[in-house]
Amino acid sequence: MATLRLGRNLVCHQMRNFNSKEMAYSEKRLIGFSRDEMFKVVSDVSEYHHFVPWCRSSTVEHEHESSQIATLEIGFPPFMEKYTSRVIYIKPSVVHSVVIENDNLFKTLDTTFRFGKGNPSVERSCTLHYDLVFEFESAFHSRIAHLFFDKVVKTMVSAFLNRAEKLYGSPEFPHTPPQVLQYKS
């Protein structure tokens, strides 16, 4: 069960039963960037093609006060696929993305970044929680994903941390190693 605090008193509990083909990863770590800095990096989906591995294009189709619809193209030639996600955010704490339309790529793609309070004695810090659940439609993509699952999940978080460093300079302190909370490949 995951707990997500929305606002001051509203708490959302999310229970997920994984099916046998879904892959999941969850980690937590203390990082040397502020919640605001990390929120800006993760919520700026239109920039993903500049730094997210395997992302070839990222276009925000519709934007609202606390959400957006974005189309991303991922892959490497000759394998290129597009999908559309609904991205919901609660500034500066949460960026949650779920696939809503795709070209037979994902059956499930659910990603959440949560930014909690960091070290109380270091203003420029936060606790990063990263959750990823996905399942491909095709057996071919699933087999490939199983082979590269470790590399993909490690690379994704690193990409966002590297982007924050490019935009905001060196972290206030070295990030702690990830505490893996869930791993299902």
Side-chain angles (χ1 to χ4, degrees), residues 122-146:
V122 181
E123 184 176 326
R124 197 165 165 244
S125 70
C126 72
T127 301
L128 167 68
H129 295 260
Y130 173 70
D131 300 294
L132 170 67
V133 177
F134 67 95
E135 178 184 358
F136 288 105
E137 288 281 358
S138 81
F140 172 74
H141 285 115
S142 291
R143 282 192 296 276
I144 291 174
H146 282 286

Side-chain angles (χ1 to χ4, degrees), residues 140-153:
F140 172 74
H141 285 115
S142 291
R143 282 192 296 276
I144 291 174
H146 282 286
L147 294 173
F148 298 103
F149 187 66
D150 286 344
K151 181 170 178 58
V152 169
V153 296

